[in-house]
Amino acid sequence: MGMDTGSGFPYRIILHGFMRIGIFSDVHANIEALSAVMDAYKSEAIDEYYCLGDVVGYGASPNECADIVRGVAKVTILGNHDAAVAGRMDYSYYYEAARHALDTHAAQLSTQNMQFLKALPYKHELNEYGLHLCHGSPLRPVEFEYIFAPEQARECLSIWDEMADITLIGHSHLCKVFALRPGEVEELPPKRFKLRKGYKYIVSVGSVGQPRDYDNRASFTVFDTEAREFDFKRVEYDIEAAAGKIFAGNLERNFGHRLFIGV
């Protein structure tokens, strides 16, 4: 049974402690993509939402996206772009266009949204569901390291005992699944799967606002704690509107062009 919390996003009454969890990442100030994802989630009977970071950066609507994420996500993880905008990391080594977008967003953000970014955690644990959340690799969360290949996932074998059954990450803007056992890493196709006993998983959930897997649809995911099942989902959004705002906003034009091809 669903109920309306007043936010416009329906939640179910939770029975027996099981939940359907909505996890999304890398919104990157793309309000058109985020709005489409939130609309799509309404048919998924979600109990709690979690965002894996990078609410800002690249796109033209940082405040609008931060407002929605603050209102919807139970926990939002700190992404590297969030950290840069909030003054929590040195981004002088970023390329000029990315630095310009971050500086622009820092100047645009409301006081409330800036304080939101300043307080975000590097990691969140839902141990009752065997679930950990972070933006990049769980090996060193504060360093925002990528995991998009088996070789990078293999490095996490060194923390096997500390890992949850499933660790969800963002950062790469790719949809990836890595199944780990001691001494072994297997890459699986990014589609619906059930967790298997004896394995631990690292899953990259893709990007809402700037996909880079040559699929220009916004990416979002669902984890069912009762079925122990994880699912990838995509939704189309108004790319022309999102790109048009970037073109009109004194931001790098390529940030808009790449939305059309998903790279």
Side-chain angles (χ1 to χ4, degrees):
M1 179 182 296
M3 63 179 179
D4 192 339
T5 62
S7 66
F9 302 109
Y11 290 76
R12 295 183 305 157
I13 297 173
I14 302 171
L15 301 175
H16 310 301
F18 295 120
M19 293 198 301
R20 283 175 59 80
I21 300 174
I23 309 100
F24 60 95
S25 190
D26 295 276
V27 174
H28 283 300
N30 185 336
I31 188 62
E32 287 76 19
L34 180 59
S35 297
V37 164
M38 290 295 105
D39 284 343
Y41 265 134
K42 290 179 180 180
S43 64
E44 295 293 338
I46 299 299
D47 298 304
E48 291 181 353
Y49 295 93
Y50 292 85
C51 176
L52 303 186
D54 276 359
V55 178
V56 299
Y58 298 128
S61 305
N63 272 306
E64 294 89 337
C65 289
D67 287 342
I68 290 177
V69 173
R70 279 196 301 110
V72 170
K74 183 171 183 179
V75 174
T76 298
I77 304 299
L78 181 72
N80 54 302
H81 285 252
D82 305 321
V85 166
R88 297 174 62 179
M89 66 173 283
D90 174 21
Y91 60 98
S92 61
Y93 61 93
Y94 281 26
Y95 65 100
E96 183 178 357
R99 293 198 313 270
H100 173 69
L102 293 168
D103 292 340
T104 299
H105 287 186
Q108 291 176 344
L109 280 182
S110 68
T111 300
Q112 194 173 20
N113 285 332
M114 181 61 80
Q115 291 304 314
F116 166 67
L117 297 186
K118 287 180 179 293
L120 297 181
Y122 286 98
K123 184 177 182 180
H124 185 70
E125 299 180 354
L126 292 165
N127 291 318
E128 64 270 36
Y129 300 118
L131 176 62
H132 288 176
L133 311 173
C134 50
H135 186 65
S137 171
L139 192 60
R140 290 173 289 271
V142 300
E143 297 186 17
F144 301 116
E145 296 172 328
Y146 288 98
I147 296 181
F148 53 76
E151 295 76 18
Q152 294 159 321
R154 183 175 294 277
E155 295 181 10
C156 295
L157 291 173
S158 64
I159 58 168
W160 166 266
D161 291 337
E162 304 165 32
M163 290 178 63
D165 295 336
I166 182 167
T167 300
L168 304 183
I169 65 173
H171 197 30
S172 71
H173 299 206
L174 303 174
C175 295
K176 293 281 185 175
V177 180
F178 301 100
L180 286 68
R181 290 193 296 182
E184 177 186 335
V185 175
E186 177 186 6
E187 183 170 0
L188 304 177
K191 60 183 182 180
R192 182 186 301 175
F193 69 94
K194 278 185 174 288
L195 276 60
R196 294 177 287 173
K197 289 184 178 180
Y199 287 84
K200 295 185 178 182
Y201 296 84
I202 297 174
V203 178
S204 179
V205 304
S207 172
V208 170
Q210 198 175 89
R212 292 180 183 167
D213 55 1
Y214 293 95
D215 183 338
N216 64 11
R217 297 174 299 167
S219 179
F220 63 106
T221 67
V222 176
F223 180 54
D224 189 310
T225 67
E226 180 178 16
R228 307 298 287 164
E229 186 173 82
F230 187 88
D231 199 5
F232 293 90
K233 298 179 179 291
R234 304 298 281 252
V235 64
E236 294 182 352
Y237 71 95
D238 191 343
I239 294 176
E240 289 190 4
K245 290 178 181 177
I246 291 172
F247 300 151
N250 193 29
L251 296 166
E252 168 61 45
R253 293 184 67 83
N254 187 50
F255 295 160
H257 290 313
R258 68 193 311 174
L259 298 179
F260 290 94
I261 54 177
V263 67

